[in-house]
């Protein structure tokens, strides 16, 4: 049996692979500190779990409409209106099995073979792969740390061609924690509208922001920009609901209709119970979100300070999400027990094999000078893991 060419080209998610390997080593009895997981270490808030239990007790366990139930769509519509200044109709909302599922479905209905999608680097690992699976071509644009890892309008303009279909913006960003200011968004919007391309705005980390930063959706800048934007979000990160698999998108009615048809042929519908829990997440008590955000902020400050105190390491101070993306290029060219450290893969392999620390190589995100460290784990583990990284760097020759 020969697999399809598409299947042969598939690559596993590096972040999920690292987490799986770390869990395997833990199960074998090794004292592994896992910095790979992109999920909060907090439990899902009780009010959300209770809503799911009620759904089960009430027998809400059957098929639902492919694009989600109206009650959840209405909650999402109100959320967009009150938090983002955006107004949508039910026909402009699709609920999917996670934001990742929505992004995949969007690529499938949007892209023809050879269509180009501009992706700022560093990028979330699945953006380029999803574009390629759909037959499109990822066009990578490098960003600079001094610009907050944010795409500049001039760099965007240079990459647009006749085949450009869309631009993916992720703010706050996975993996850097960088986030766009309104002025940057306005300059990008000017280019987008001039060239007539679509913006896919991934705003999954919008509630997890720090140092007074206020999130703005590029879709909210003008009516014209709203028409040219698909906004993507979900409940996974904000409410610690990664396993519940509910994401959603809003935008052009024709595109949403196409995604609905695709979902009817693939997943049938998002999980009924998870949809009811998500209504409570979006409309219910929000105090747990602030508690998590404050905890992440405390961890962020500690991790950034600690990493910047290690000789040869530089760490950007993130504005959002729960990741740091430290630059380790200052130690490249050195070696540990005879093994040269010349790349992020060399670095993360040695950290895991010799120091029991699991982190994701920056090469997976398009930046080989860096590694991604998730601080969505307890302070004790952060202190222990960062001490091991410090010991690793000190042992280099």
């Amino acid at each position: 049996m020969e697999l399809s060419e598409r299947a042969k080209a598939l690559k596993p998610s590096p972040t999920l692979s690292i987490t799986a390997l770390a869990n395997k080593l833990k199960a074998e009895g090794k004292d592994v500190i896992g910095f790979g997981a992109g999920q909060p270490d907090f439990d899902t808030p009780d009010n959300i779990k209770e809503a799911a239990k009620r759904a089960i007790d009430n027998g809400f366990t059957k098929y639902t409409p492919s694009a989600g139930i109206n009650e959840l769509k209405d909650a999402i519509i109100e959320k967009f209106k009150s938090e983002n200044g955006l107004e949508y109709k039910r026909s402009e909302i699709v609920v999917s099995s996670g934001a990742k599922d929505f992004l995949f479905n969007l690529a499938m209905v949007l892209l023809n073979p050879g269509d180009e999608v501009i992706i700022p680097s560093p990028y979330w690992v699945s953006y380029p792969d999803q574009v390629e699976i759909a037959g499109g071509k990822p066009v990578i644009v490098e960003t600079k740390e001094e610009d907050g890892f944010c795409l500049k309008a001039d760099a965007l303009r240079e990459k647009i061609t006749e085949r450009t279909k869309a631009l993916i913006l992720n703010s706050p960003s996975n993996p850097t924690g960088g986030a766009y200011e309104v002025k940057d968004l306005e300059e990008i919007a000017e280019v987008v509208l001039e060239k007539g391309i679509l913006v896919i705005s991934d705003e999954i980390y919008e509630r997890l922001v720090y140092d007074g930063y206020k999130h703005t959706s590029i879709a909210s800048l003008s009516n014209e920009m709203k028409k040219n934007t698909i906004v993507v979000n979900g409940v996974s990160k904000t409410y610690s609901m990664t396993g519940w698999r509910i994401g959603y998108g809003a935008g052009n009615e024709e595109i949403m209709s196409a995604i609905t048809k695709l979902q009817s042929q693939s997943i049938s519908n998002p999980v009924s119970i998870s949809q009811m829990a998500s209504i409570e997440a979006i409309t219910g008590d929000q105090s747990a979100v602030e508690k998590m955000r404050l905890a992440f902020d405390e961890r962020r400050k500690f991790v950034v300070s600690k990493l910047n105190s290690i000789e040869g390491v530089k760490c950007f101070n993130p504005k959002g999400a729960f990741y740091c993306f430290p630059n380790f290029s200052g130690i490249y060219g050195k070696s540990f027990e005879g093994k040269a450290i010349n790349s992020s893969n060399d670095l993360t392999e040695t950290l895991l094999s010799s120091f029991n620390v699991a982190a994701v190589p920056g090469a997976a995100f398009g930046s080989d000078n860096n590694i991604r460290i998730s601080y969505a784990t307890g302070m004790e583990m952060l202190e222990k893991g960062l001490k091991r990284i410090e010991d690793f760097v000190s042992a280099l020759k």
Side-chain angles (χ1 to χ4, degrees):
M1 176 67 71
E2 185 175 357
L3 295 174
S4 68
E5 294 303 313
R6 182 183 299 108
K8 291 176 184 177
L10 288 175
K11 301 184 288 289
S13 165
T15 52
L16 295 181
S17 297
I18 288 290
T19 301
L21 178 57
N23 289 337
K24 178 177 180 293
L25 293 172
K26 287 179 183 178
E28 293 172 357
K30 294 188 177 180
D31 180 24
V32 174
I33 304 295
F35 288 155
Q39 63 178 348
D41 58 318
F42 300 97
D43 194 9
T44 303
D46 287 341
N47 61 312
I48 299 172
K49 292 191 289 185
E50 290 301 321
K53 293 174 186 176
R54 286 195 300 272
I56 295 171
D57 291 339
N58 293 335
F60 194 73
T61 57
K62 310 299 183 184
Y63 291 128
T64 77
S66 294
I69 59 176
N70 283 337
E71 295 89 339
L72 178 52
K73 285 190 174 186
D74 289 344
I76 292 167
I77 288 168
E78 180 55 34
K79 176 260 183 249
F80 274 126
K81 183 177 180 180
S82 62
E83 295 182 13
N84 305 108
L86 293 166
E87 295 195 14
Y88 294 103
K89 302 178 294 184
R90 285 178 179 172
S91 58
E92 296 172 311
I93 304 289
V94 168
V95 181
S96 298
S97 294
K100 190 175 195 174
D101 182 48
F102 181 89
L103 286 163
F104 181 86
N105 294 340
L106 179 59
M108 294 299 288
V109 305
L110 192 64
L111 301 178
N112 288 311
D115 282 346
E116 297 176 354
V117 177
I118 296 174
I119 304 173
S121 169
Y123 45 73
W124 177 52
V125 294
S126 291
Y127 292 145
D129 287 23
Q130 289 185 346
V131 169
E132 289 177 346
I133 291 169
K137 177 185 177 183
V139 177
I140 308 302
V141 185
E142 291 187 13
T143 63
K144 300 177 181 178
E145 183 174 333
E146 54 263 38
D147 295 327
F149 290 114
C150 290
L151 176 67
K152 291 299 181 181
D154 289 343
L156 169 62
R157 189 187 299 275
E158 288 177 5
K159 291 292 185 177
I160 295 176
T161 72
E162 293 180 353
R163 298 306 305 267
T164 303
K165 197 75 170 278
L167 160 70
I168 297 179
L169 280 186
N170 178 207
S171 179
S173 161
N174 174 6
T176 68
Y180 287 81
E181 300 291 346
V182 174
K183 182 177 182 295
D184 293 323
L185 293 175
E186 289 173 340
E187 292 174 354
I188 289 171
E190 184 178 344
V191 176
V192 165
L193 294 175
E194 176 191 330
K195 299 295 185 179
I197 65 172
L198 188 72
V199 173
I200 300 167
S201 184
D202 183 348
E203 304 177 13
I204 193 76
Y205 295 99
E206 66 167 335
R207 296 281 296 275
L208 302 176
V209 293
Y210 317 108
D211 295 336
Y213 174 81
K214 296 186 182 301
H215 171 78
T216 299
S217 174
I218 193 170
S220 70
L221 297 182
S222 67
N223 287 332
E224 292 76 18
M225 199 60 231
K226 178 172 174 278
K227 293 175 184 177
N228 275 67
T229 304
I230 304 295
V231 181
V232 185
N233 212 317
V235 298
S236 294
K237 314 298 184 177
T238 299
Y239 301 101
S240 193
M241 294 177 66
T242 51
W244 298 74
R245 307 314 303 137
I246 294 291
Y248 54 85
N252 179 282
E253 193 169 344
E254 183 180 7
I255 296 174
M256 296 300 110
S257 176
I259 293 176
T260 300
K261 292 175 187 176
L262 179 59
Q263 292 191 173
S264 76
Q265 298 287 9
S266 57
I267 63 168
S268 291
N269 61 267
V271 175
S272 59
I273 300 158
S274 295
Q275 289 187 69
M276 294 304 289
S278 297
I279 294 171
E280 175 62 25
I282 294 170
T283 65
D285 181 10
Q286 302 293 301
S287 60
V289 178
E290 180 63 6
K291 289 178 182 177
M292 285 189 280
R293 191 194 69 83
L294 290 173
F296 288 140
D297 191 16
E298 180 186 6
R299 298 171 187 179
R300 174 186 69 106
K301 292 172 181 175
F302 168 75
V303 173
V304 171
S305 175
K306 182 63 176 178
L307 286 168
N308 279 323
S309 72
I310 300 174
E311 187 175 355
V313 180
K314 295 188 301 180
C315 186
F316 170 76
N317 191 25
K319 293 180 182 178
F322 39 64
Y323 311 104
C324 285
F325 202 56
N327 186 317
F328 277 80
S329 62
I331 69 168
Y332 287 179
K334 296 184 178 182
S335 63
F336 176 77
E337 295 183 348
K339 179 181 178 180
I341 307 296
N342 293 317
S343 69
S344 60
N345 283 314
D346 293 340
L347 173 58
T348 53
E349 287 171 6
T350 305
L351 279 176
L352 185 55
S353 63
S354 299
F355 291 84
N356 289 332
V357 174
V360 188
F365 305 97
S367 183
D368 199 32
N369 286 337
N370 304 73
I371 67 173
R372 193 191 76 172
I373 292 176
S374 168
Y375 50 88
T377 189
M379 188 65 80
E380 181 182 351
M381 292 296 100
L382 290 170
E383 291 173 350
K384 196 173 180 180
L386 290 173
K387 178 62 168 62
R388 292 180 185 180
I389 292 176
E390 184 177 38
D391 291 343
F392 158 72
V393 173
S394 297
L396 295 174
K397 297 180 180 179

